[in-house]
Amino acid sequence: MSTESHLTFKDFLSIYSDQLESIPNNYWPSLFQKLTQEIFDIGEYVSLCKDEEEGWHVMVIAEDGLNKDDPNSVFLVDHAWTYEVKFAKKQLEQHDNLLNRMKQLMDIDHSTEKEEAIEEVLQRMWKFNKCYHRKESMLLDGDDELNNNQMQKDRDYIPLWYVMDEVGSRVNHDDNPNFAFKPFYFLETDTTFTVIFPLQDLEYGEEVTRDYQSLYTDQALKDVMLYPWEEDRINLDEVHDDWIEKYTKELENTEEEQPLNCPNGLQIKTEPPYAVCTDSDYAKYLTNENFYLVDHEEKADIIYKQGHYRQMRKLLLEGRQYVLEQPNKNCLVLKNFLAETCQRHTVQKYLGREMPQHIKERRGPIWLPTTFNLNTELPQFIKHFKERQAKGQYNVWIVKPTNLARSLGIEVSDNLTQIIRLAEAGPRIVCEYISDISLFPREDTGLVKWEIRHFAFVKSVEPLEVFVHNLPYVRFANKKFELNDFTDFQKHFTNMYYRHRDKMLVFPWKEFYPEHYNKALPNVPYEKLEAEIFKMIKELFESATSRPPPFGLGRSPQCRGYYAIDMILRWRDEEHTEIQPMLLESNFVPCMTRALEDDPELMNDIFGAFFLGTPPERMIRL
C-alpha cells in the first residue's frame, strides 16, 4: 500500500541520521522510497521453505541471486505484533486474527482451543520476539490521567517487544550471517519496521541467515544469550557459582574511597531553629516550630530535595549545610547493588570460618530472596534453574529492572527462555518469587498478597544510628493469590496507587492493627513480628555501612537518609506459627502521601529524629 509523503530525501537523511548510521549509504535512496511508499518487496527475492527435520528456512528465489552492492537490495520487514508483556495475553484474548496469525507463525496446531493456544503463544513467543524501548506505556490502565501524568515524569523507558512477520521470524540463526536486521522507527507513519540487507552476495537457492544476538560481541556472552535456541552453547557442568569467592577476593583487595572533608572544618548548625529549603510537596506537614522554610538553598541549614541532590560534592567541601541524602545511596536503592551489598556483607561476616550451607544455597542472608544478576550471573542462574527443574522443585521467579520503581517492568515467570530474553531489555536481577507467604482475607476477593512498608531513617553511618517509625503501612493485591496468570498485575502485585486505584484496599495502620492483622497472622503476636522486622532492617543497614564507598553508604555528619523498606512475610513452618520478613526493595525519597495522610505528624517526627536532641517517642532506635 502506498501513502502520500511530503518528506524530502534531504530531510530524511537529516531526521534519521542516527538510525541510518548502521545501514550502508548505498541503500539510503531505495530505503527512503520503500519507507515513504510502504513497499514490501522481499517476497520477490526470497521464499519460505519447510522440511520435516529442521523446520523453516528462508531461501533466495531470485534467479540472479542477491548482490550486496545493488542499491535496491534493502528490504522492509513488517512487525506482525508489538506489545508490552503485561498486555500480551489481553491482546491475544481480544483479537482472534492476531491469535490465529501467531498460532500459524509459531507452528501451533490450528485446532488447539483458544485458552490453550494463548498460553502456548505466551510460552513460545520468547523464541520469536525482539526488544526495543519507548518513553511511555502503550496502554493505560486504572486511572488513566494519574498513570499518564506519572509516565510523563518518568525518565526511564518501557520495553516493547515485537514479532516480525512470517519471513523475518523464520530466518534462522548463523554465527556468520549473510543478512543484517536493523529495527527502524519511521516517524511519518509512527511505525517500526525491520530493515534487512545482505552482508554478502547470495546465489539462487542459498539460505538467508541472521545473527539472533548481534548486539553481543563477546563470544562467551553471546553463547549464553543464544541458549534459548541452542542449549549446547554452554556446558552447565563447567559453570560454577562463585559468589562467595568473588566477594572474598573483593574484600581482600579492593581500595576504598576516602570521604570528602571540608578543608576549613565543619560549620554546620547544631541548635534549632533550622532553616529548611525544599521542593517537596510534603513541606506543608513540617509544622514543628524548630524548623522554618526558606526559598533559596544559600539561606538554608538543611536541604531537602524530592529528587536527587546534584551538588553533593560542593556541599561536603563547604561543610556548612545538612542534606537529606547520603553519598552512594545506590548501594541500597538500585536493586542489583542492594543484593550485592547484602551478599558482600554475608561473606564478610563469615571470613575465616565456615558459612552455613543454607546461606550458601540462598546466596545471602535469610531475609534476602535468592537473587542473581541477569547481566553478570546468567550462566549461574541457568544452571540453578535447570537443577531445580530436574528435581521437580518450585521454580517461579520475578525479574526486576535495577532502577525502576512503582513495579514498572517487573515480570513474574517460570519460563527460562523468557527470563533469559528479559536480560536484553536492560539491567535486571532475577529473584525467587516467594509463594509460601502470609495471605490476607479480603472480604470482596478472598486470600490476597499483602506487603508491609516501614520507613527507616539513618542519622549517622559511623557510628551507625538508625530509627524506624513505629507506624508502618500495608498494601494489598486486588485479586485472589494463585500461582498462575503471571501477567495479572492485580493478582501478583500490591502497589495499586498508580493503577487500578479504584479497587485499592486501604487500611491506616491504626485501623489495620490489631483487628485485621489477626485475620492474616492469628498465631503470630505482633510484638514477635515487629522484632523480626526490626532485626532485618538493622542487619540491612549494617550491611550498607560495613564498608565505605564504593560498597556502602558514605560517611558524613552532614548527611541524613530516609528510606522505605518494603517486605513480604514468608512462613517458616507448615503450622503457620513462625514468620520470616523477606526484603523486597529499598526506596530513596519514597512516596509518602499515604503515610502522611494516615499520620500528619510523620514529617515532624523525621526532622525531630534527625536534628533535635531527643528523638520523638514514635521513632524506635535500632
Side-chain angles (χ1 to χ4, degrees):
M1 180 181 68
S2 177
T3 59
E4 183 179 358
S5 174
H6 299 289
L7 181 71
T8 66
F9 183 61
K10 181 179 179 181
D11 289 340
F12 173 73
L13 297 182
S14 174
I15 294 171
Y16 298 98
S17 58
D18 289 344
Q19 296 188 78
L20 289 170
E21 284 183 357
S22 63
I23 300 172
N25 58 13
N26 64 308
Y27 294 140
W28 293 353
S30 180
L31 177 60
F32 169 71
Q33 181 187 22
K34 292 182 180 184
L35 284 167
T36 54
Q37 299 182 27
E38 294 191 11
I39 298 173
F40 298 91
D41 57 345
I42 185 64
E44 299 175 15
Y45 298 85
V46 303
S47 180
L48 297 175
C49 175
K50 186 177 183 181
D51 63 57
E52 296 300 324
E53 294 183 1
E54 298 183 5
W56 288 100
H57 304 270
V58 176
M59 313 299 293
V60 176
I61 60 170
E63 291 185 4
D64 297 330
L66 282 166
N67 187 328
K68 70 180 182 65
D69 295 324
D70 183 343
N72 294 313
S73 293
V74 62
F75 308 97
L76 299 182
V77 168
D78 199 8
H79 293 176
W81 184 24
T82 301
Y83 58 93
E84 289 179 49
V85 175
K86 64 181 177 181
F87 295 121
K89 184 174 183 178
K90 183 182 295 185
Q91 290 175 342
L92 293 169
E93 289 173 339
Q94 295 178 348
H95 303 284
D96 288 341
N97 288 340
L98 173 65
L99 175 59
N100 290 332
R101 186 175 184 183
M102 290 301 108
K103 285 169 61 177
Q104 183 178 23
L105 190 149
M106 298 178 188
D107 291 325
I108 298 171
D109 191 292
H110 67 89
S111 63
T112 305
E113 294 295 329
K114 182 173 182 177
E115 185 174 341
E116 183 183 347
I118 289 173
E119 292 304 318
E120 192 66 28
V121 170
L122 294 174
Q123 289 289 316
R124 295 193 188 189
M125 67 186 187
W126 294 100
K127 290 189 178 183
F128 290 86
N129 56 12
K130 297 288 290 181
C131 178
Y132 62 91
H133 298 75
R134 64 182 287 170
K135 183 69 177 176
E136 57 198 43
S137 179
M138 289 172 58
L139 301 172
L140 300 174
D141 51 350
D143 188 333
D144 284 4
E145 182 177 358
L146 175 66
N147 200 10
N148 189 41
N149 289 340
Q150 187 59 54
M151 284 292 185
Q152 294 302 324
K153 295 177 183 177
D154 196 354
R155 299 175 185 172
D156 301 293
Y157 286 75
I158 304 298
L160 288 182
W161 297 85
Y162 63 92
V163 176
M164 290 183 286
D165 65 16
E166 286 73 8
V167 173
S169 291
R170 286 169 173 159
V171 175
N172 289 316
H173 169 81
D174 196 296
D175 284 357
N176 298 298
N178 53 34
F179 252 76
F181 279 56
K182 307 289 183 181
F184 195 100
Y185 175 67
F186 192 51
L187 179 64
E188 276 61 31
T189 56
D190 190 26
T191 308
T192 300
F193 303 99
T194 295
V195 174
I196 71 173
F197 51 89
L199 298 172
Q200 63 192 51
D201 294 341
L202 282 79
E203 297 181 355
Y204 173 85
E206 192 169 350
E207 181 175 5
V208 174
T209 60
R210 67 183 178 97
D211 186 345
Y212 284 1
Q213 296 293 0
S214 59
L215 295 179
Y216 296 91
T217 56
D218 178 82
Q219 188 59 49
L221 182 55
K222 182 189 284 281
D223 287 341
V224 175
M225 297 308 298
L226 286 168
Y227 185 85
W229 299 275
E230 301 176 11
E231 292 190 5
D232 59 356
R233 286 273 179 168
I234 55 177
N235 184 351
L236 294 180
D237 292 334
E238 297 179 355
V239 174
H240 303 287
D241 190 2
D242 57 353
W243 71 279
I244 298 174
E245 291 82 355
K246 179 180 74 172
Y247 291 121
T248 300
K249 184 177 180 180
E250 190 179 89
L251 289 163
E252 292 172 348
N253 299 325
T254 306
E255 293 184 5
E256 298 168 349
E257 294 179 8
Q258 297 301 312
L260 288 175
N261 294 312
C262 176
N264 299 320
L266 288 176
Q267 305 165 49
I268 50 178
K269 195 172 182 180
T270 58
E271 296 290 337
Y274 294 99
V276 180
C277 181
T278 181
D279 59 359
S280 172
D281 295 336
Y282 305 141
K284 62 185 178 183
Y285 292 97
L286 184 58
T287 58
N288 187 306
E289 62 184 7
N290 290 297
F291 305 92
Y292 64 96
L293 300 179
V294 295
D295 293 333
H296 302 288
E297 288 186 10
E298 289 300 315
K299 300 178 182 179
D301 303 309
I302 301 167
I303 297 174
Y304 166 36
K305 304 290 287 185
Q306 189 59 29
H308 301 288
Y309 185 58
R310 305 298 179 184
Q311 303 294 323
M312 179 69 76
R313 180 179 179 84
K314 177 176 178 288
L315 179 140
L316 295 178
L317 289 174
E318 290 180 351
R320 64 180 186 85
Q321 294 172 304
Y322 298 98
V323 63
L324 267 62
E325 184 173 330
Q326 292 176 301
N328 200 40
K329 63 186 179 299
N330 285 344
C331 73
L332 284 169
V333 177
L334 294 185
K335 297 177 182 66
N336 54 333
F337 291 157
L338 173 62
E340 290 176 8
T341 296
C342 300
Q343 292 168 341
R344 183 183 297 108
H345 184 58
T346 300
V347 173
Q348 185 176 353
K349 286 170 57 177
Y350 287 97
L351 282 177
R353 58 194 180 103
E354 182 65 21
M355 182 183 292
Q357 187 63 29
H358 72 278
I359 294 180
K360 289 182 181 179
E361 294 175 354
R362 179 169 293 282
R363 307 183 94 245
I366 192 172
W367 40 263
L368 180 72
T370 302
T371 302
F372 294 83
N373 186 320
L374 269 189
N375 302 97
T376 61
E377 299 177 318
L378 186 51
Q380 288 79 10
F381 171 72
I382 293 173
K383 181 173 184 176
H384 185 83
F385 185 99
K386 297 293 284 187
E387 288 176 345
R388 294 184 65 87
Q389 186 180 63
K391 296 175 183 177
Q393 296 176 337
Y394 174 77
N395 218 9
V396 182
W397 298 82
I398 183 165
V399 181
K400 303 178 181 181
T402 61
N403 59 345
L404 296 186
R406 304 188 311 280
S407 304
L408 288 174
I410 296 180
E411 309 293 347
V412 179
S413 180
D414 58 0
N415 181 346
L416 178 59
T417 296
Q418 175 183 358
I419 296 171
I420 296 171
R421 298 296 312 286
L422 285 171
E424 299 173 35
R428 275 159 171 71
I429 61 169
V430 57
C431 309
E432 171 193 10
Y433 184 59
I434 304 168
S435 62
D436 48 340
I437 54 175
S438 168
L439 299 173
F440 179 78
R442 273 187 69 156
E443 293 182 359
D444 59 339
T445 303
L447 294 174
V448 300
K449 287 183 69 171
W450 65 293
E451 298 173 4
I452 298 177
R453 166 169 283 194
H454 261 285
F455 292 103
F457 310 93
V458 181
K459 183 177 182 180
S460 169
V461 170
E462 194 176 37
L464 179 60
E465 191 173 4
V466 182
F467 298 92
V468 176
H469 200 264
N470 72 347
L471 292 180
Y473 74 80
V474 288
R475 304 188 301 202
F476 306 89
N478 285 347
K479 292 184 179 180
K480 181 181 178 180
F481 178 70
E482 296 172 322
L483 280 174
N484 55 28
D485 292 332
F486 293 136
T487 57
D488 191 334
F489 185 88
Q490 298 187 78
K491 179 181 293 188
H492 293 282
F493 296 89
T494 65
N495 186 4
M496 301 296 160
Y497 188 77
Y498 296 103
R499 61 187 93 170
H500 309 295
R501 196 174 181 180
D502 56 325
K503 300 177 183 177
M504 182 172 70
L505 177 64
V506 178
F507 279 127
W509 182 257
K510 294 177 182 178
E511 182 181 339
F512 178 75
Y513 177 80
E515 178 184 354
H516 296 289
Y517 170 89
N518 289 330
K519 295 177 182 178
L521 298 168
N523 300 318
V524 182
Y526 179 65
E527 295 75 14
K528 184 177 181 180
L529 172 62
E530 186 179 59
E532 291 287 349
I533 290 174
F534 290 170
K535 178 184 177 184
M536 181 193 76
I537 294 175
K538 184 176 182 180
E539 290 180 2
L540 171 63
F541 285 99
E542 287 174 345
S543 300
T545 57
S546 63
R547 299 283 303 279
F551 306 115
L553 292 173
R555 292 151 165 74
S556 172
Q558 296 174 249
C559 298
R560 309 286 190 266
Y562 72 103
Y563 305 88
I565 311 299
D566 294 337
M567 65 200 75
I568 200 165
L569 305 179
R570 179 180 214 162
W571 291 115
R572 287 178 174 171
D573 61 346
E574 295 182 0
E575 292 75 24
H576 290 183
T577 60
E578 298 290 334
I579 205 80
Q580 174 62 56
M582 300 296 294
L583 177 67
L584 298 180
E585 62 184 45
S586 170
N587 295 285
F588 167 71
V589 287
C591 175
M592 300 180 68
T593 303
R594 269 195 58 193
L596 287 165
E597 289 173 353
D598 294 348
D599 180 16
E601 286 298 310
L602 176 59
M603 191 59 62
N604 290 328
D605 286 347
I606 294 171
F607 276 76
F610 279 157
F611 300 107
L612 303 181
T614 303
E617 181 179 348
R618 293 182 298 177
M619 285 289 189
I620 300 169
R621 189 191 305 268
L622 299 185

